[in-house]
Amino acid sequence: MDKLKVIGGKRLEGSIKVSGAKNAALPILCATLLTSEPVILRNVPKLNDIKTSIKVLQQLGVKAEWVEPEVLKLQADDIKSYEAPYELVKTMRASILVLGPLLTRFGEAKVSLPGGCAIGQRPVDQHIKGLKTLSADIEIEHGFVVAKAERLKGASIRTDMVTVGGTEQFLMAASLASGSTVLENAAQEPEVYDLAEMLNSMGAKISGHGTSRITIEGVEKLHGTDYSIMPDRIEAGTFLCCVGATGGTLELTNALPHTMDCILEKLTEAGLEIEVRENSIKATMNRRPKPVSIVTKEYPGFPTDMQAQFMAVNALADGESTIDERIFENRFMHVPELNRMGADINVIENKAQIHGIERLQGAKVMATDLRASASLIIAALAAEGETIIDRIYHLDRGYYKIEEKLKKVGVDIERIS
């Protein structure tokens, strides 16, 4: 099993190109099921989650090939199966997003419940409730969502909570439904906006995306497209936290600053000097970070996917801060590992209290999830001595060749087996 070895204490200097957004690419890949014509996707990150998603599509009969390093060609003109099996879906929750496209184009779908989770614990039940509102006949049988519909019918859908995956599911399903669909309480994330733009490029009629009320006028069919996926705002934010912890000057190219307002605001509060252009961000840090308190919220609030990275910066800050996690329960698993490196963090229920210290110490630590992995890298960059980060397979789900990108800006980091 691979590990990362990091020797801390180096300032970051140089430029990094931000990869395409994983959280935009995953639903967009599923959207290719909505047409029989070829779809070209550009700026696709070659991550493990992307590879899993391609395997799910190939299992259904989609042809997929990398025509260039970040360019993927897909065609769903010969679908052989309407079933997404547990073996693939269990490794990635986003696989549930093939349900709507299969159902609306072919009239049936059978998709394993993701991760074998109980249906009420995370909002897969909202996906089912919404698709039923669009006149789908859905049953849960032996761990599968089994759905049928002659043709979905437009309707008004209001979810019980804001759900990114649910909004994406309904955007795809309603695109080929008869009549008009209105999504109330819709997710406003940039990745949802990107999916809607991609669907519109295929001939869908979607308006209001980027707000909490989205309207979809169903069409008879969608056509192929050539579409470039948005840059990853979470990867960009992670690299900015790296320079926040170590000091130095870092330029990010292929970035979308306007999708990162809340992140950039908090980084500025922490002491980074940030210069923004249309597609790039330059950040300079020449001081110890200031403590920044955070409450995670749905977009346009502070993203839960940046919480762990900011905690690593706050661990080094000159003062005390709190992080209030309101999106996911059990998302402080990185705290014991940061404390192993000398951090002073105390968790009470969904709130972490962080007493900043001047210097962390290298240690052997273990990644528990994707963003926790990133927080440990940030801490390791600023720590004295050597840090070994185990179980980095989590990292490869969401960061493409992160150690190679960091090496180019002066970090002493290597992958070891």
Side-chain angles (χ1 to χ4, degrees):
M1 196 179 289
D2 286 3
K3 303 176 185 182
L4 283 179
K5 182 170 87 170
V6 183
I7 309 295
K10 301 274 181 74
R11 287 167 64 87
L12 268 59
E13 300 289 344
S15 174
I16 291 175
K17 182 188 174 189
V18 178
S19 297
K22 175 189 84 123
N23 290 340
L26 292 174
I28 283 174
L29 281 169
C30 295
T32 64
L33 285 164
L34 292 166
T35 179
S36 62
E37 295 180 19
V39 174
I40 305 289
L41 297 179
R42 302 179 188 275
N43 202 33
V44 184
K46 269 192 172 176
L47 302 165
N48 284 352
D49 274 7
I50 297 295
K51 292 172 187 173
T52 301
S53 194
I54 292 168
K55 280 183 191 169
V56 172
L57 294 174
Q58 288 174 325
Q59 173 99 7
L60 300 172
V62 178
K63 302 181 192 82
E65 64 168 322
W66 293 96
V67 291
E68 290 176 37
E70 295 177 349
V71 181
L72 193 57
K73 181 182 179 182
L74 304 107
Q75 189 164 7
D77 62 341
D78 187 21
I79 296 299
K80 296 176 171 64
S81 168
Y82 308 124
E83 179 177 326
Y86 175 70
E87 288 66 34
L88 290 172
V89 177
K90 72 177 179 181
T91 63
M92 192 182 65
R93 293 188 57 83
S95 304
I96 193 73
L97 293 177
V98 300
L99 180 62
L102 285 173
L103 180 62
T104 197
R105 184 170 160 215
F106 301 105
E108 61 180 294
K110 184 179 179 183
V111 181
S112 172
L113 288 170
C117 68
I119 197 162
Q121 290 181 353
R122 290 179 72 178
V124 178
D125 60 324
Q126 298 297 304
H127 295 232
I128 293 168
K129 181 179 170 185
L131 291 172
K132 282 184 173 178
T133 304
L134 295 174
S135 302
D137 178 19
I138 300 180
E139 302 291 340
I140 308 299
E141 297 176 1
H142 306 291
F144 280 85
V145 181
V146 181
K148 292 183 178 174
E150 279 190 27
R151 187 180 180 191
L152 295 178
K153 297 180 178 69
S156 179
I157 300 174
R158 173 179 275 277
T159 50
D160 298 338
M161 75 279 288
V162 176
T163 159
V164 172
T167 303
E168 292 164 343
Q169 188 84 270
F170 309 142
L171 280 174
M172 293 185 282
S175 290
L176 292 176
S178 64
S180 177
T181 298
V182 178
L183 307 182
E184 304 280 5
N185 201 27
Q188 301 175 52
E189 269 72 2
E191 295 80 10
V192 173
Y193 183 90
D194 208 35
L195 171 64
E197 287 290 286
M198 183 264 194
L199 291 169
N200 281 346
S201 77
M202 295 170 71
K205 293 182 178 176
I206 300 169
S207 58
H209 44 301
T211 75
S212 62
R213 190 176 194 271
I214 304 175
T215 302
I216 308 112
E217 301 291 343
V219 297
E220 287 292 330
K221 64 178 292 189
L222 295 176
H223 53 71
T225 189
D226 187 323
Y227 191 80
S228 186
I229 288 162
M230 66 174 282
D232 195 322
R233 63 193 173 105
I234 305 301
E235 184 187 74
T238 299
F239 287 131
L240 293 174
C241 283
C242 289
V243 77
T246 66
T249 299
L250 184 66
E251 182 176 21
L252 299 179
T253 60
N254 188 42
L256 269 189
H258 76 267
T259 66
M260 299 174 61
D261 288 347
C262 194
I263 297 170
L264 296 178
E265 191 180 296
K266 289 293 183 183
L267 285 164
T268 302
E269 199 180 317
L272 277 81
E273 296 170 30
I274 293 176
E275 191 181 315
V276 165
R277 294 187 183 148
E278 188 179 355
N279 298 112
S280 68
I281 302 167
K282 187 177 180 182
T284 302
M285 187 68 161
N286 288 314
R287 49 159 297 149
R288 187 175 168 193
K290 297 176 190 172
V292 177
S293 290
I294 286 160
V295 179
T296 64
K297 292 180 181 174
E298 294 88 358
Y299 191 86
F302 189 88
T304 181
D305 278 355
M306 282 299 306
Q307 174 258 105
Q309 299 91 309
F310 260 81
M311 188 179 287
V313 178
N314 273 336
L316 294 156
D318 186 10
E320 297 187 4
S321 58
T322 60
I323 293 181
D324 192 349
E325 174 56 65
R326 297 193 181 176
I327 305 296
F328 288 120
E329 74 284 356
N330 203 26
R331 204 166 195 186
F332 284 139
M333 291 190 289
H334 44 282
V335 170
E337 302 306 303
L338 290 172
N339 284 344
R340 280 177 59 77
M341 300 177 72
D344 185 358
I345 305 168
N346 184 40
V347 175
I348 301 170
E349 294 179 346
N350 65 330
K351 194 173 283 188
Q353 296 174 322
I354 303 135
H355 302 266
I357 62 168
E358 202 160 333
R359 202 160 279 114
L360 294 169
Q361 298 170 354
K364 288 184 177 178
V365 291
M366 182 176 71
T368 52
D369 60 63
L370 171 55
R371 305 307 172 186
S373 310
S375 76
L376 296 177
I377 287 179
I378 294 163
L381 298 186
E384 285 183 336
E386 179 183 282
T387 299
I388 303 290
I389 305 171
D390 204 351
R391 291 176 67 181
I392 60 163
Y393 57 84
H394 291 294
L395 195 72
D396 295 332
R397 288 183 47 228
Y399 294 94
Y400 183 57
K401 294 186 175 178
I402 189 169
E403 70 277 13
E404 291 182 22
K405 291 185 177 185
L406 287 171
K407 267 183 188 174
K408 289 177 183 172
V409 293
V411 174
D412 188 346
I413 183 171
E414 65 174 312
R415 186 175 288 249
I416 54 177
S417 294

